[in-house]
Amino acid sequence: MPTHQSNEPISPEGELLPVRVTGQGHTAVVEIGGHDVSRDLSAYSLAHRAGDVPQMVIELSPRSTATGVFEGLAHVVIGDPPDPGPAAAAFLSAISPAELEKAALDRHDLMDGRPHELTRAMLALLREWALGQWGEPEPEDGR
């Protein structure tokens, strides 16, 4: 699946749009032209090269209700989500098979005697690691 960015400005005639991004932990409030569009976005990126106008690429969420009310200071473009394959391949290349196997075998909460338990445990660990959850699992009894 090829990566494609449509890079078609949504601001009319190259007009710059005022953009404000306020980080809040793992989330951010994204305002364009004074309108909070955070709920309409699945992702955004902001790039700024010295001497150039900043460029914001926004990816609309499938549940977006955006009506296109944008005006103001960065070139705003709508892009397609990137192909996750290269990032997944890079992530998996960094995983030590020995560490993955040891961690899966140490996860008694994932070993339940059902078919393919080791594979299911490894996949669960890889999902957790991909999300940055490197800590020890919570005991099942809540202690």
Side-chain angles (χ1 to χ4, degrees):
M1 176 169 36
T3 300
H4 170 70
Q5 295 256 304
S6 60
N7 292 340
E8 296 176 21
I10 62 172
S11 52
E13 301 172 22
E15 179 184 352
L16 298 178
L17 304 177
V19 174
R20 179 183 179 108
V21 178
T22 307
Q24 296 181 340
H26 293 291
T27 63
V29 174
V30 178
E31 296 176 43
I32 300 176
H35 301 279
D36 182 351
V37 297
S38 306
R39 282 182 253 149
D40 294 316
L41 304 181
S42 63
Y44 74 92
S45 63
L46 185 61
H48 187 194
R49 294 180 185 264
D52 289 340
V53 175
Q55 183 177 51
M56 176 178 272
V57 176
I58 60 174
E59 297 174 19
L60 294 178
S61 166
R63 66 185 190 289
S64 172
T65 59
T67 59
V69 182
F70 303 122
E71 51 185 274
L73 295 180
H75 286 289
V76 178
V77 298
I78 297 176
D80 294 327
D83 179 2
F91 169 76
L92 293 172
S93 295
I95 302 294
S96 161
E99 287 296 317
L100 176 60
E101 184 176 308
K102 180 183 180 326
L105 291 172
D106 287 347
R107 287 288 301 265
H108 299 290
D109 60 320
L110 299 174
M111 301 302 235
D112 55 15
R114 293 187 343 219
H116 316 293
E117 65 183 354
L118 180 59
T119 303
R120 284 187 290 106
M122 287 180 170
L123 288 171
L125 281 165
L126 289 171
R127 276 191 299 274
E128 290 171 9
W129 292 352
L131 294 171
Q133 299 168 352
W134 300 98
E136 292 297 316
E138 294 292 321
E140 286 185 23
D141 61 3
R143 282 189 271 151

